């Protein structure tokens, strides 16, 4: 059988009726054209009524003023670390770690800030170990009860040799850290402690075998008789 004929195409859509704005624009255009024609018929100049094409070009927006910006100042340099304390003019007594008195082994004087051992010092007796050990005391707890050779970071006493203030050197274990006078003062201060006015004998870490730092002044009358052979001119 012959193919079925295609259905007829739909009629094109009717044009949309002009809007009110379009009608008003068309009326104004026609009126302007009529007025221009009348002016020309009467011999008038219509060029003055037409806008200058240059006026129709968009005027450039004013450029923003260029403000010179000064470079940001560099950040301030970090403050240098405070200088370690110097040995006082009265000197400090280095005591025997196993002593129960303030009889000094030898003294340190201003200029001895780098000394960390009894080597080359005029010691009253030789200790098994030459390195000077750090020990600290609680200023609020007088006497031996305030002694710390083992201390936690907050300054409270410890029973562990892992908390030895200057480490430990005994047998095959050697975690000892040699310290100067200034480093010892700073270490004690970091735990809210101070240098001791005595030797904390028997308080652990095998410091009985070492010389130990103290706060005892070497020109103290109570220790002066023992210093005649140790105080250098």
């Amino acid at each position: 059988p012959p193919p079925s004929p295609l259905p007829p195409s739909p009629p094109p859509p009717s044009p949309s009726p002009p809007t009110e704005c379009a009608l008003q624009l068309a009326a104004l255009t026609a009126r302007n054209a009529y007025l221009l024609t009348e002016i020309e018929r009467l011999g008038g100049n219509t060029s003055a009524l037409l806008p200058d094409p240059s006026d129709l070009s968009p005027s450039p927006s004013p450029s923003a003023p260029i403000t010179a910006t000064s470079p940001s100042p560099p950040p301030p340099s970090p403050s240098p670390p405070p200088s370690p304390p110097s040995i006082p003019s009265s000197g400090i007594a280095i005591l025997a770690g196993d002593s129960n008195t303030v009889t000094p082994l030898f003294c340190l004087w201003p200029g001895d800030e780098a000394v960390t051992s009894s080597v080359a010092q005029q010691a009253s007796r030789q200790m098994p170990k030459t390195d000077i050990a750090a020990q600290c005391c609680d200023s609020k707890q007088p006497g031996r009860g305030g002694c710390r050779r083992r201390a936690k970071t907050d300054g409270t006493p410890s029973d562990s040799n892992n908390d030895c203030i200057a480490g430990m050197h005994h047998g095959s274990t050697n975690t000892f850290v040699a310290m100067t006078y200034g480093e010892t003062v700073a270490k004690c201060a970091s735990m809210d402690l101070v240098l001791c006015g005595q030797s904390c004998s028997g308080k652990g870490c095998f410091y009985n075998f070492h010389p130990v730092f103290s706060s005892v002044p070497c020109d103290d009358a109570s220790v002066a008789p023992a210093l005649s052979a140790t105080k250098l001119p």
Side-chain angles (χ1 to χ4, degrees):
S4 301
L6 296 174
S9 301
S14 301
S16 301
T19 63
E20 183 179 352
C21 289
L23 292 174
Q24 290 179 357
L25 180 59
L28 289 174
T29 302
R31 180 178 177 81
N32 288 342
Y34 169 75
L35 291 175
L36 291 173
T37 301
E38 286 298 305
I39 292 172
E40 289 178 348
R41 185 175 66 79
L42 297 174
N45 184 8
T46 60
S47 61
L49 301 175
L50 298 175
D52 189 345
S54 63
D55 294 339
L56 301 178
S57 60
S59 56
S61 58
S63 302
I66 300 175
T67 304
T69 57
S70 57
S72 301
S77 302
S79 301
S83 301
S86 300
I87 296 173
S89 59
S90 57
I92 55 121
I94 303 300
L95 308 177
D98 59 356
S99 176
N100 291 319
T101 71
V102 293
T103 302
L105 289 175
F106 58 93
C107 283
L108 295 183
W109 302 96
D112 292 332
E113 280 77 11
V115 173
T116 61
S117 77
S118 61
V119 175
Q121 302 297 321
Q122 296 180 355
S124 59
R125 69 181 174 100
Q126 295 299 319
M127 302 293 294
K129 305 288 186 183
T130 58
D131 290 325
I132 308 172
Q135 55 175 20
C136 306
C137 281
D138 186 344
S139 61
K140 300 180 290 295
Q141 191 176 359
R144 289 180 53 79
C147 278
R148 305 283 189 272
R149 287 183 175 179
R150 294 179 294 209
K152 300 176 182 177
T153 55
D154 62 355
T156 54
S158 170
D159 293 329
S160 172
N161 284 335
N162 293 328
D163 294 327
C164 291
I165 291 175
M168 184 181 70
H169 186 187
H170 181 70
S172 60
T173 301
N174 187 4
T175 59
F176 190 87
V177 178
M179 297 185 190
T180 63
Y181 167 79
E183 290 168 340
T184 301
V185 172
K187 179 70 173 180
C188 293
S190 72
M191 298 182 289
D192 198 25
L193 301 174
V194 296
L195 284 181
C196 298
Q198 61 188 316
S199 172
C200 298
S201 61
K203 290 293 185 176
C205 301
F206 298 94
Y207 290 174
N208 278 19
F209 299 115
H210 290 262
V212 293
F213 283 105
S214 81
S215 63
V216 178
C218 278
D219 61 359
D220 190 292
S222 63
V223 300
L227 300 178
S228 58
T230 64
K231 185 172 182 178
L232 300 178

